Amino acid sequence: MIKDKVAEVRNAIADACKKAGRNSSEVTLIAVSKTKPVPMLSEAYEAGCRDFGENKVQELTDKYGQLPDDIRWHMIGHLQRNKVKYIVGKVYLIHSVDSLKLAEEISREAVKKKVTVNILIEVNVAEEESKFGVSCAEAPALVEKIALLPGICVKGLMTIAPYVENAEENRQYFVKLRQLCVDIKNKNIDNVCMDILSMGMTGDYTVAVEEGATYVRVGTGIFGDRNYEM
């Protein structure tokens, strides 16, 4: 049952926090609900989940109106500029900003709708060719440019680590992202707070928590395998 799975994940987060000398209240669980039907999300909601992550704009907007208003929606997938207008004002946080052009489009929509959009900069720490995100070297300059845009607040960094059998292999990438976050925070850039580290998924979230993750994105660990035929 989804309720049991959510409890398992929360317990594992608590254990990882204890190991790292952290308070479990510092870590937010995002239930990654892509491809999953609304009744399954409702089960997770009943189990206490209030943060849900979607990869596709269409799916997010479809589910948005069918579920309770106190849900915080997270856009965690690659975001195309022509889809920005559909989610500004609906999402709590966009995790996947990886270019100035995308940020400029978000800014335009935010100003138009008179809202402030919270974003994370997606960093391709492992430099995988198949993944989106800026390099660690490019990230600070991108943050500085985006920080000047109206209607946007840079809240931190996100990464998608490689798929590995042994979660320990990804520890190096989580350590690197945390250090990058600290380095950017130390620049004291206006409109940038660097409070959020979104890293770790079903296979490696406990290692991510040990290394400072404040948001973990767990899908399969809560909802089971995904159906990509949708």
Side-chain angles (χ1 to χ4, degrees):
M1 281 178 65
I2 288 173
K3 183 180 179 182
D4 298 332
K5 292 288 187 184
V6 170
E8 277 176 31
V9 173
R10 290 200 189 283
N11 288 337
I13 289 171
D15 288 345
C17 283
K18 192 174 180 182
K19 189 174 173 185
R22 300 179 66 195
N23 191 314
S24 57
S25 64
E26 297 171 24
V27 182
T28 299
L29 169 62
I30 299 174
V32 178
S33 45
K34 60 183 182 181
T35 79
K36 295 302 179 184
V38 167
M40 290 184 80
L41 276 70
S42 294
E43 276 189 65
Y45 180 90
E46 291 300 322
C49 292
R50 292 296 180 270
D51 292 83
F52 288 83
E54 290 288 340
N55 270 46
K56 293 183 177 175
V57 168
Q58 177 76 49
E59 205 174 338
L60 190 154
T61 54
D62 284 350
K63 292 172 180 175
Y64 178 85
Q66 300 182 61
L67 288 151
D69 292 342
D70 62 338
I71 284 176
R72 303 195 303 184
W73 293 97
H74 297 256
M75 181 64 197
I76 59 176
H78 181 63
L79 180 58
Q80 294 170 304
R81 296 204 300 277
N82 64 349
K83 300 280 180 71
V84 166
K85 59 190 174 189
Y86 301 113
I87 63 167
V88 165
K90 288 187 169 77
V91 293
Y92 175 74
L93 185 63
I94 298 174
H95 291 232
S96 47
V97 177
D98 61 357
S99 72
L100 182 59
K101 283 187 174 180
L102 174 57
E104 286 170 342
E105 186 60 38
I106 294 169
S107 173
R108 271 192 290 274
E109 284 298 322
V111 170
K112 196 186 294 182
K113 293 178 178 173
K114 296 185 171 64
V115 295
T116 298
V117 180
N118 295 322
I119 69 162
L120 305 180
I121 305 302
E122 182 173 358
V123 185
N124 186 351
V125 183
E127 298 184 359
E128 292 182 280
E129 285 185 15
S130 61
K131 299 255 175 76
F132 292 103
V134 295
S135 69
C136 288
E138 296 167 325
L142 180 61
V143 169
E144 289 182 355
K145 288 173 186 168
I146 291 175
L148 300 173
L149 299 172
I152 282 186
C153 185
V154 182
K155 292 286 192 178
L157 306 175
M158 181 269 249
T159 197
I160 299 173
Y163 176 77
V164 290
E165 293 293 331
N166 179 6
E168 281 297 328
E169 292 174 33
N170 281 338
R171 189 180 293 273
Q172 59 181 316
Y173 304 121
F174 301 143
V175 169
K176 200 168 179 181
L177 191 75
R178 185 187 67 210
Q179 187 56 54
L180 179 62
C181 194
V182 170
D183 292 345
I184 294 173
K185 192 169 192 169
N186 287 341
K187 289 174 178 282
N188 293 315
I189 307 163
D190 285 345
N191 205 27
V192 173
C193 65
M194 287 289 133
D195 289 339
I196 297 174
L197 269 181
S198 173
M199 58 188 194
M201 301 193 292
T202 294
D204 55 20
Y205 68 89
T206 54
V207 173
V209 168
E210 287 171 21
E211 295 304 335
T214 60
Y215 280 69
V216 293
R217 311 178 304 270
V218 180
T220 307
I222 292 173
F223 298 108
D225 292 335
R226 294 192 188 91
N227 174 13
Y228 285 104
E229 293 172 9
M230 284 182 70

